[in-house]
């Protein structure tokens, strides 16, 4: 069973964000990594790049397919997870921990209020499965 | 959607099901594609390949019909021997690629691709007029399991009354597996040693569970279509609809070894003779992506600003730990070491023509 920690916010594109002060750490959800299968490559932006909310910031490749990564909120990339270069499989084994992707300095923390909480996201995933 | 007799078993065991050419099939199991791929390379894995089709050709002119329809020389087959060959169109391209099993001089058993099975049967029937031979579609009569990997024979030997080690590569026999009458063939589509068994579909679930149980101490796991694809790509085995189809000739697909132009007339042979005389304009090559990234099926290949070809299959290679693929390139760019680029969703990645197969098992 996929898990969705309560302290995170979620998008319908299956990203999560953990907000600490004005910094947001971003990754993909347990459901998303399960759907992708074995992750073999993550294409991340460079630090200093700026993004609006809900735009593509990178790509994730599994053995079988690829998927775009979307920002849950707008901001500037202040750190990327270098470990994914050699061990992209962290996205599968630890999606909310070692499998994080980028940290953004958020330009508007108020944007977070429009994201889903854990139970709303879980309901969304279940509704997707029924389709 | 069509289902094999094991559909419920796949679901119960956590198989992730996808539409594969109209068949509801497991693309992977909970272990994941990489674990499944490595199990086949280093131990053993099992695939449900019951979606594959079986067509029987029987009668005094069975061999003549097989010879007319296929590019390889079936007259070289002995009883119980198997041959990989092309079912050809008049222009030297592929209706399908198939395995021909010879039971006897007047009895041949073809294993054909799942998505082509009805098309192949219609094609063979439509060309059978004038031959004293009967063509029967037996696809519904067989379940097929592929047990593949260096420990495949160890797993299967205790379950059967035949000496598996006495069946050499591309030969088959008939016998029993777990008491069930079966065709037992030393073939596969993974680049590994292994066997494929054909038997009555009503025995499928019991057979599957028995082999899983027998295989567990040897590291056997159930494998899905994604691992089947990465395994066959590492071994550079063609896939219909990708490397070969009704627009690619056997020479272009680097399958000259299944074109026996001296055997006598067959469908497409005139075109193949002509192409051999004129020379090829393009050919299938193997490549490795030397930049970071994966070139997938259908992505365009470039030399400078000129689009010169397309990737037919591209994927990470889990055992080799490289990103590899197959592509058609103009003949002048097919030498080993040729550098080119592949457009990966707007990014140009460097690639290089490399020798194939990418992976070759060491034979004892």
């Amino acid at each position: 069973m996929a898990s969705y920690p309560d302290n995170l916010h979620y998008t319908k594109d299956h990203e999560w964000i953990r907000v600490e002060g004005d910094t947001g750490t971003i990754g993909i959800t347990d459901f998303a990594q399960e759907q992708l299968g074995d992750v073999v490559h993550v294409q991340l932006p460079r630090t200093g790049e700026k993004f609006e909310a809900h735009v593509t910031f990178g790509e994730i490749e599994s053995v079988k397919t690829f998927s775009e990564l979307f920002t849950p909120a707008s901001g500037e990339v202040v750190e990327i997870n270098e470990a994914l270069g050699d061990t992209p499989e962290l996205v599968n084994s630890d999606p909310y921990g070692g499998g994080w992707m980028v940290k953004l300095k958020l330009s508007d923390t108020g944007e977070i209020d429009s994201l889903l909480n854990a139970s709303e996201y879980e309901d969304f995933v279940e509704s997707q499965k029924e389709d | 959607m069509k289902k094999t007799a094991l559909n419920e078993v796949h679901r119960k065991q956590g198989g992730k099901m996808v539409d594969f050419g109209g068949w509801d099939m497991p693309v992977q199991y909970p272990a994941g594609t990489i674990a499944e791929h490595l199990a086949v390379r280093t131990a053993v894995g099992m695939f449900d390949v019951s979606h594959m089709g079986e067509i029987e050709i029987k009668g005094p002119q069975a061999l003549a019909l097989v010879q007319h329809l296929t590019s390889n020389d079936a007259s070289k087959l002995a009883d119980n021997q198997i041959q990989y060959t092309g079912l050809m169109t008049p222009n030297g391209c592929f209706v399908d690629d198939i395995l021909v099993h010879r039971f006897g001089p007047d009895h041949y058993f073809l294993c054909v691709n799942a998505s082509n099975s009805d098309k192949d049967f219609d094609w063979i029937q439509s060309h059978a007029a004038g031959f004293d031979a009967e063509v029967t579609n037996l696809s519904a009569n067989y379940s097929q399991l592929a047990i593949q990997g260096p420990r495949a024979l160890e797993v299967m030997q205790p379950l059967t009354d035949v000496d598996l080690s006495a069946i050499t590569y591309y030969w088959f026999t008939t016998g029993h597996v777990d008491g069930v009458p079966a065709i037992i063939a030393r073939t596969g589509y993974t680049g590994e040693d292994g066997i494929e068994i054909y038997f009555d579909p009503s025995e499928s679930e019991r057979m599957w569970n028995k082999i899983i149980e027998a295989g567990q101490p040897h590291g056997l796991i159930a494998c899905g279509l994604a691992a089947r694809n990465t395994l066959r790509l590492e071994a550079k085995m063609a896939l219909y609809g990708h490397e070969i189809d009704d627009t690619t000739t056997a020479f272009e697909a680097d399958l000259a070894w299944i074109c026996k132009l001296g055997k006598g007339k067959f469908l497409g042979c005139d075109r193949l003779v002509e192409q051999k005389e004129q020379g090829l304009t393009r050919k299938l090559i193997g490549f490795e992506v030397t930049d970071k990234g994966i070139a997938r099926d259908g992505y365009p290949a470039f030399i400078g600003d000129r689009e010169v070809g397309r990737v037919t299959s591209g994927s990470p290679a889990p055992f080799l730990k490289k990103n590899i693929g197959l592509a058609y390139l103009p003949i002048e760019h097919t030498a080993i070491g040729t550098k080119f680029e592949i457009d990966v969703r707007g990014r140009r990645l460097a690639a290089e023509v490399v020798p194939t197969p990418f992976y070759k098992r060491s034979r004892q």
Side-chain angles (χ1 to χ4, degrees):
Chain A
M1 255 322 256
S3 67
Y4 312 110
D6 282 333
N7 61 337
L8 306 180
H9 301 274
Y10 300 86
T11 72
K12 289 184 176 179
D13 297 316
H14 308 289
E15 277 84 20
W16 56 262
I17 183 167
R18 186 172 59 243
V19 180
E20 290 152 307
D22 63 352
T23 302
T25 304
I26 296 167
I28 65 164
T29 67
D30 200 8
F31 172 75
Q33 69 78 21
E34 253 183 33
Q35 290 298 303
L36 280 167
D38 296 319
V39 171
V40 291
H41 180 63
V42 187
Q43 185 73 30
L44 294 176
R46 279 188 275 269
T47 54
E49 283 192 63
K50 289 178 182 165
F51 293 94
E52 298 295 311
H54 311 298
V55 299
T56 307
F57 72 90
E59 286 182 349
I60 184 164
E61 302 241 23
S62 66
V63 174
K64 197 68 191 144
T65 189
F66 77 95
S67 183
E68 291 184 312
L69 298 165
F70 295 94
T71 50
S74 45
E76 179 182 332
V77 178
V78 289
E79 192 179 344
I80 63 165
N81 187 356
E82 304 279 359
L84 297 183
D86 290 332
T87 48
E89 60 271 22
L90 284 169
V91 176
N92 294 118
S93 60
D94 192 12
Y96 302 116
W100 70 276
M101 290 169 185
V102 297
K103 291 186 182 181
L104 291 186
K105 184 175 183 341
L106 301 173
S107 43
D108 177 6
T109 52
E111 287 175 345
I112 303 304
D113 299 337
S114 63
L115 300 177
L116 304 176
N117 65 30
S119 67
E120 287 166 341
Y121 177 69
E122 189 166 5
D123 289 346
F124 172 70
V125 166
E126 290 307 313
S127 71
Q128 296 281 294
K129 284 182 186 166
E130 285 158 18
D131 287 344
Chain B
M1 227 180 325
K2 294 186 205 170
K3 293 175 178 176
T4 74
L6 287 161
N7 190 273
E8 280 306 312
V9 177
H10 297 317
R11 290 174 179 279
K12 270 189 266 178
Q13 296 187 355
K16 191 193 284 182
M17 308 302 284
V18 297
D19 178 354
F20 180 75
W23 289 83
D24 187 41
M25 296 298 286
V27 65
Q28 65 166 70
Y29 289 86
T33 300
I34 293 176
E36 292 167 22
H37 183 112
L38 297 178
V40 172
R41 285 277 178 263
T42 61
V44 54
M46 176 160 65
F47 303 82
D48 174 20
V49 284
S50 304
H51 57 313
M52 301 288 280
E54 291 84 15
I55 296 168
E56 188 177 68
I57 301 181
K58 270 178 145 174
Q61 288 191 292
L63 173 60
L65 179 56
V66 171
Q67 287 287 69
H68 173 64
L69 291 167
T70 64
S71 59
N72 210 333
D73 187 356
S75 75
K76 300 285 191 213
L77 285 172
D79 289 355
N80 293 78
Q81 198 176 5
I82 304 166
Q83 186 177 71
Y84 177 69
T85 186
L87 189 62
M88 307 308 277
T89 68
N91 60 0
C93 299
F94 289 89
V95 178
D96 200 2
D97 61 334
I98 65 174
L99 292 180
V100 176
H101 304 63
R102 173 170 147 143
F103 275 89
D106 53 3
H107 184 185
Y108 293 83
F109 176 89
L110 318 183
C111 178
V112 308
N113 279 306
S115 52
N116 289 342
S117 145
D118 291 340
K119 178 186 78 172
D120 291 359
F121 177 65
D122 291 344
W123 179 265
I124 294 168
Q125 264 208 324
S126 71
H127 288 84
F131 289 90
D132 187 2
E134 193 181 339
V135 183
T136 316
N137 191 345
L138 295 179
S139 300
N141 298 16
Y142 289 102
S143 269
Q144 188 185 349
L145 295 177
I147 300 96
Q148 299 279 299
R151 304 189 73 175
L153 268 59
E154 261 177 273
V155 170
M156 295 304 291
Q157 189 56 71
L159 300 180
T160 180
D161 52 357
V162 306
D163 177 6
L164 295 176
S165 66
I167 312 170
T168 47
Y169 193 53
Y170 268 68
W171 289 72
F172 72 97
T173 191
T174 50
H176 291 81
V177 178
D178 194 30
V180 176
I183 300 168
I184 305 165
R186 192 99 176 246
T187 49
Y189 190 49
T190 60
E192 289 305 324
D193 193 7
I195 63 170
E196 295 185 293
I197 57 173
Y198 303 75
F199 56 93
D200 190 314
S202 67
E203 301 285 355
S204 299
E205 182 165 357
R206 198 170 63 84
M207 184 74 82
W208 175 273
N209 290 334
K210 186 78 183 182
I211 297 171
I212 291 276
E213 185 193 329
Q216 250 162 8
H218 301 274
L220 179 142
I221 55 172
C223 301
L225 292 172
R228 193 165 165 82
N229 189 52
T230 52
L231 287 157
R232 71 94 195 163
L233 179 58
E234 277 186 347
K236 199 214 176 192
M237 292 174 163
L239 175 61
Y240 189 88
H242 293 254
E243 286 70 44
I244 55 174
D245 58 25
D246 59 7
T247 67
T248 49
T249 73
F251 289 131
E252 291 170 338
D254 201 19
L255 291 170
W257 64 278
I258 63 164
C259 291
K260 301 294 160 48
L261 300 179
K263 75 168 186 174
K265 285 276 182 191
F266 62 92
L267 275 183
C269 81
D270 290 345
R271 172 70 189 112
L272 289 169
V273 167
E274 187 185 296
Q275 191 173 52
K276 195 172 184 187
E277 284 167 0
Q278 290 172 347
L280 297 178
T281 58
R282 62 169 187 163
K283 196 171 179 183
L284 189 73
I285 55 92
F287 67 82
E288 190 181 319
V289 179
T290 46
D291 277 336
K292 275 209 159 192
I294 299 154
R296 297 185 185 274
D297 308 10
Y299 289 3
F302 284 83
I303 292 199
D305 288 335
R306 195 162 64 95
E307 186 178 329
V308 291
R310 243 159 226 283
V311 175
T312 56
S313 295
S315 159
F319 186 74
L320 302 172
K321 294 190 167 39
K322 292 173 177 174
N323 295 323
I324 60 168
L326 298 167
Y328 278 102
L329 291 183
I331 196 75
E332 64 272 25
H333 299 301
T334 54
I336 303 296
T338 302
K339 292 180 173 30
F340 64 104
E341 289 182 323
I342 298 169
D343 187 312
V344 175
R345 303 182 294 278
R347 277 189 307 139
R348 289 281 185 90
L349 300 187
E352 185 175 323
V353 179
V354 298
T356 53
F358 306 98
Y359 167 84
K360 193 163 196 209
R361 76 185 156 103
S362 52
R363 289 178 199 233
Q364 290 168 347

